[in-house]
Amino acid sequence: MDQVISLTLKVWRQNGPDDAGAFQTYQAEGISQDASFLEMLDIVNERLIEEGTEPITFESDCREGICGTCGLMINGKAHGPELGTATCQLHMRKFNDGDHITIEPWRAVSFPVIKDLAVERTPLDLIIEAGGYISVPTGSAPDANLTPVPKEAADMAFDAAACIGCGACVAACPNSAAQLFTSAKLNHLNLLPQGQAERWQRAENMVETMEMYFGTCTNHGECHEACPKEISLDFIAFMNRDYVKAKIKNRKLAGQR
Amino acid sequence: MAQTLSRSGRGPQPLRPRKKQLPFPLNIYQTAIGRKWVMALTGIGLLGFVVAHMIGNLHVYEGPARMAEYAETLRTLGGGLVPRGTILWILRLGLIAMFGLHIHSAYSLKEISRKASPKAGFVGGAKQYSGGQDFIAANFASRTMRWTGPIILLYLLYHIADLTWGWWLGDDFVHGDPYHNLSESLSSLPVAIIYIVANVALAVHIFHGAWSMFQSLGINNPKYNKARVAIAAGLAGLILVGNLSFPILTQAGLIDEDNRECAVEDFDDEHDILICLEEQLEEEG
Ligand code: SF4
């Protein structure tokens, strides 16, 4: 398939966090359908540079769906129309000749635009810093299978750990809630024996950091549809359960709080 | 993604700085997830009330005398142990408290989400993407919770003023004769329409609420997750059918007072109507 298509792009341009920003229309002629969405933007940018105009700023890194850096709102859908893929895994063969495509950055008050389509996702990092780790003495590598992990728990933790931290869940959520991200990161550790020691502190700290920055979940389920890793809503339920349990347990552990 | 470096003061300002914790269990209500728990738990209580209220009202199909007897049973709950009406009032206060908490938690959570979303409007608090926001998973019920909620509240106030206080029925209102009041009120077409619209809103609200509360409370087990939607749909359907039957059947003429013994017009004193109804019950045995 080496079909070539032409598109009309409506792209959000914004010069910095404090700039008002506006849409600009670009014609993208002669784009190969084998190109990925990001490659299409690369081609458009090269032409813009040749013309002497500022290229469109967008983020990307691994371009194979595992780093979580790319993320665009494509025609109102996070990561574009395909389910379970990141923007970099979206290909132009999913579009037709003459299509109009609107490209916007993630929108949430806690995701301020850095420039054009790049947004700052620091609050997600802050949630990880609040508890998305385990504290272990490092040293020589432990023996394999030293800690038995039930198969089911391992599978589930693995599903949760698939989250790449792209922020599409926040972007797609009508409430700008970060529940899916936080619950994935929380459960990935809380389901495993290695995560038990800090389980309740982790639940409290991660959730409370999340709540400082994001909206509240009303169980729409939009995040799951937007998620390139198809993280399950079940993790949100587990998080809600662990959080209230943590409130009770931590109080007992700490004597009074 | 996350590089776990410790740099202070980076990133956007928190929308809600962490507050000092109140003593347990109040600190749970300080957090959004805690509030979702409160919303879910009060939702369960209110749902129980709605179901019981609907089932109780089915007595209307047994005629005026049985309906009046049922109303009296509610007032004399607890038998002779406590003064008449005590238990009913305790239940009512519980309901008022649950409504208060349910509404406060919903409103305050909505405000948090509104602040977290740019250009957020009131409806669904949804932010706007110019590419057109396509809702993929969110259904009509989940997006309209913030509309159906206030509609139900307004209807509730209307309903109490209508059938508990008798504001609009005036002299036609007979204390202790719910059958008469109901058929008088619902036989007017505009009133019946208000009841129908409000009860459809109630069913839609319950459909999302009943599913959502499992999620909020963390009741999640892959084995039963399919059942959660079925339970929600079943409850919403049950309440819809039961509650809509009253206005619709009144309009259709099934609930009327044409052949009623102890017709209200025959009495000057409300009290005598009730005595007549009681006698009727005794005769029927
Ligand atoms: S849960 Fe999914 S959408 Fe959200 S950050 Fe992780 S990978 Fe992205």
Side-chain angles (χ1 to χ4, degrees), chain A residues 124 162-169 180-181 184 223 226-229 231:
Chain A
L124 297 187
C163 166
I164 53 177
C166 61
C169 42
L180 197 65
F181 166 81
C223 50
C227 176
K229 297 294 151 189
I231 302 287

Side-chain angles (χ1 to χ4, degrees), chain A:
Chain A
M1 209 199 323
D2 54 346
Q3 271 215 304
V4 166
I5 55 174
S6 296
L7 305 154
T8 308
L9 306 180
K10 202 174 140 205
V11 183
W12 183 259
R13 300 301 305 258
Q14 181 173 344
N15 231 332
D18 300 323
D19 187 33
F23 280 104
Q24 287 266 329
T25 310
Y26 300 96
Q27 295 299 329
E29 312 279 343
I31 302 288
S32 156
Q33 284 199 318
D34 289 336
S36 76
F37 200 83
L38 298 181
E39 282 162 350
M40 183 274 290
L41 287 177
D42 287 339
I43 298 170
V44 172
N45 271 348
E46 269 172 31
R47 294 180 189 161
L48 287 180
I49 293 169
E50 274 167 24
E51 279 173 22
T53 26
E54 182 117 354
I56 303 161
T57 305
F58 65 94
E59 282 187 282
S60 76
D61 190 15
C62 74
R63 300 213 175 186
E64 57 178 13
I66 55 171
C67 73
T69 312
C70 64
L72 301 172
M73 211 62 175
I74 300 164
N75 286 340
K77 290 206 173 84
H79 290 300
E82 288 291 286
L83 292 185
T85 55
T87 306
C88 56
Q89 295 165 299
L90 175 67
H91 283 82
M92 298 317 292
R93 50 181 163 270
K94 302 291 175 202
F95 296 91
N96 301 317
D97 195 35
D99 274 1
H100 287 247
I101 306 178
T102 308
I103 310 172
E104 287 165 90
W106 288 164
R107 296 232 191 262
V109 169
S110 291
F111 282 177
V113 170
I114 300 170
K115 195 169 187 328
D116 297 345
L117 302 172
V119 298
E120 174 169 5
R121 284 167 286 188
T122 310
L124 297 187
D125 292 351
L126 298 177
I127 294 172
I128 297 290
E129 283 172 26
Y133 53 81
I134 55 167
S135 308
V136 285
T138 51
S140 52
D143 284 343
N145 299 331
L146 197 61
T147 316
V149 182
K151 171 88 168 79
E152 291 73 16
D155 285 351
M156 235 188 188
F158 189 78
D159 287 346
C163 166
I164 53 177
C166 61
C169 42
V170 180
C173 177
N175 303 313
S176 301
Q179 243 81 358
L180 197 65
F181 166 81
T182 313
S183 68
K185 293 300 177 196
L186 179 75
N187 280 296
H188 137 61
L189 299 171
N190 277 6
L191 289 164
L192 293 175
Q194 290 88 339
Q196 295 311 304
E198 289 156 309
R199 178 171 184 174
W200 309 112
Q201 274 89 346
R202 175 181 305 120
E204 230 183 307
N205 292 337
M206 288 181 76
V207 167
E208 279 165 22
T209 310
M210 167 187 86
E211 289 186 356
M212 283 162 69
Y213 292 94
F214 296 102
T216 64
C217 177
T218 52
N219 301 328
H220 284 303
E222 284 295 316
C223 50
H224 170 68
E225 301 297 324
C227 176
K229 297 294 151 189
E230 303 185 301
I231 302 287
S232 162
L233 292 179
D234 295 351
F235 292 121
I236 298 181
F238 298 157
M239 174 173 75
N240 291 341
R241 187 163 64 194
D242 269 15
Y243 179 69
V244 172
K245 263 196 202 162
K247 274 283 175 216
I248 296 162
K249 296 224 175 172
N250 281 348
R251 169 170 159 267
K252 285 193 189 137
L253 291 174
Q256 178 65 52
R257 206 152 68 89

